[in-house]
Amino acid sequence: MKNDIEIGEEAVVRRITEVAESLGIRADEVEQHGKYIAKVPLDVLSRFDGNSNGKLIMVTAVTPTPAGEGKTVTTIGLIQGLSRIGKKVVGALREPSVGPTFGVKGGATGGGYSQVYPMWDIDLHFTGDIHAVSSAHNLLSAVLENNLVRDNPLNIDPLRVVLKKTMDMNCRELRSIMVGLGNSRLNGGVPHESGFLITSASEISAILALATGYTDLRERLERMVVAYAYDGTMVTVKDLGCAGAMMVLLKDAIKPNLVQTLEGQPVFIHGFPFANIAHGNNSVLATKYALKLGDYAVTEAGFAADLGGEKFMDIVCRKSGLSPDCVVIVASVRALMTHGGADLAVPESFTEEALLKGTANLDKHIENVKGYGVPVVVSINHFSFDDPAHMGLLRKHCAALGVECVQSDAFPEGGKGAEELARKVVEVIDRGKKDFRLLYGDSLPLKEKIRTVAEKIYGSDGVTYAPQAEKTLADLEAKGFGSLPVCIAKTQYSMSDRAELKGAPKGWTLNVREVSLSAGAGFVVPICGSMMLMPGLSGSPAALRIDLTGDGKVRGLK
């Protein structure tokens, strides 16, 4: 089978203006970025506000493993499959971050015959949205640092500057740095500890993904807490007076990006917060208008159901008023075997016994999604080397749980290979058994919200807190932020806060080492275990395999 780029290069696709026109958007209303990518202005999209909403399908997955699950492939395949069975469908996905593209992932646009097009542009700079957020974030940092130098009129304590710098690259060496070094304040600034976040972890990324328009975007930016004064009062963007300049840098980034699948279905790709260190979902605007423009909208939550899935339910749905009509949980036979103790380095360890043991991870995710009152379909991403008997075992296992389970061949067959999944999702939605409910209420104290997520979603025996985390939570409650939801940052490789614990771990305790406030985004972030907000490169990063040919074609993305 050809590789992803070769498949993409041979695809026969429509100009993006034709894709827009299929949605009722005129060619002269979109802002084109070449032949196949466009931004859609908010005033154009607002014309569809009176449309009734379609049905919302959220795709999530079991806990990631090196064996692979195929969540994005399944999501795009489902979009194509729904179209093949005659449904008007629009997708809504996140934008890939350059850091992970050159790190572990090597790309994030699907694969095989279930891709978004053109993957080589989407995976890289795309329309510049992430760069715009980096610029707005670092402008804010520059204004803040300048305030310290220029006689500090806001009495900011340099030791309590909580805003760090940002860049869209995996650079562990920048996690903790000293800034303001020099022979004078004007030459070097005011010395204090700082560091870098990857741009997808910037609060501005979350704000952009949750904002409903320009006014909401400005109000959220102004609420951002960037530092504390000597007397303990919070210093916000509004205090610094630079929200207007940040708005100018973000004026185009708030407009959803329109692309297409290899089979021509429209997809909004907009927003890029990570699910392990942020809320992990595409923009509310993208989902809103996918629902307004299609009978079915398909969105994907980052990482597994305990991360992007939980945050979609408890943050995005809480803030937007939206809720899914069906959730698809993606797994693969080998991924479940890995959760049952199999090791890629030991091929003989991939046994039926490992598969049965590994279903504990799938079972826990099914239980969690059902807890929100939303029907579930399990999609097993089929690999050519899978034993058909194992697929039969998983169908039987899921049937015993009262859950539909289907096989997806979206990677080798595109929409055709996802027709069974598409039909099953429509069937489940048509039964109308949705009874959506949030995991916790706004009035619950922050520590109780954390405990609820830890025990009910992760399966922990409780929560412990570092002294500073305890202090920060008490301070936030006292300052009136106790009603906000929590956005827990933890490893994506386990339901626990320790990456090595596979399956559905029991007998462990969640450790909250620090807590931060995202007042503009509207949530509190407990940071757990050894989670870092700036990733590092692996021993063999994708950057060493990605290249450009002599005729200008990208190679090495996947």
Side-chain angles (χ1 to χ4, degrees), residues 502-521:
K502 304 301 181 187
K506 296 184 182 302
W508 64 279
T509 302
L510 184 74
N511 175 43
V512 179
R513 80 169 194 268
E514 60 182 286
V515 175
S516 64
L517 170 66
S518 292

Side-chain angles (χ1 to χ4, degrees), residues 185-216:
R185 283 204 302 176
L186 281 178
N187 282 344
V190 175
H192 64 91
E193 290 186 19
S194 186
F196 275 75
L197 314 169
I198 193 165
T199 304
S200 292
S202 165
E203 185 181 352
I204 301 174
S205 295
I207 287 172
L208 188 73
L210 292 167
T212 56
Y214 288 109
T215 300
D216 186 40

Side-chain angles (χ1 to χ4, degrees), residues 219 275 490:
E219 290 173 352
K490 74 169 189 71

Side-chain angles (χ1 to χ4, degrees), residues 430-442:
D430 287 347
R431 290 179 197 155
K433 292 187 177 180
K434 167 185 169 181
D435 182 24
F436 181 74
R437 52 190 174 270
L438 297 168
L439 182 66
Y440 54 82
D442 292 343

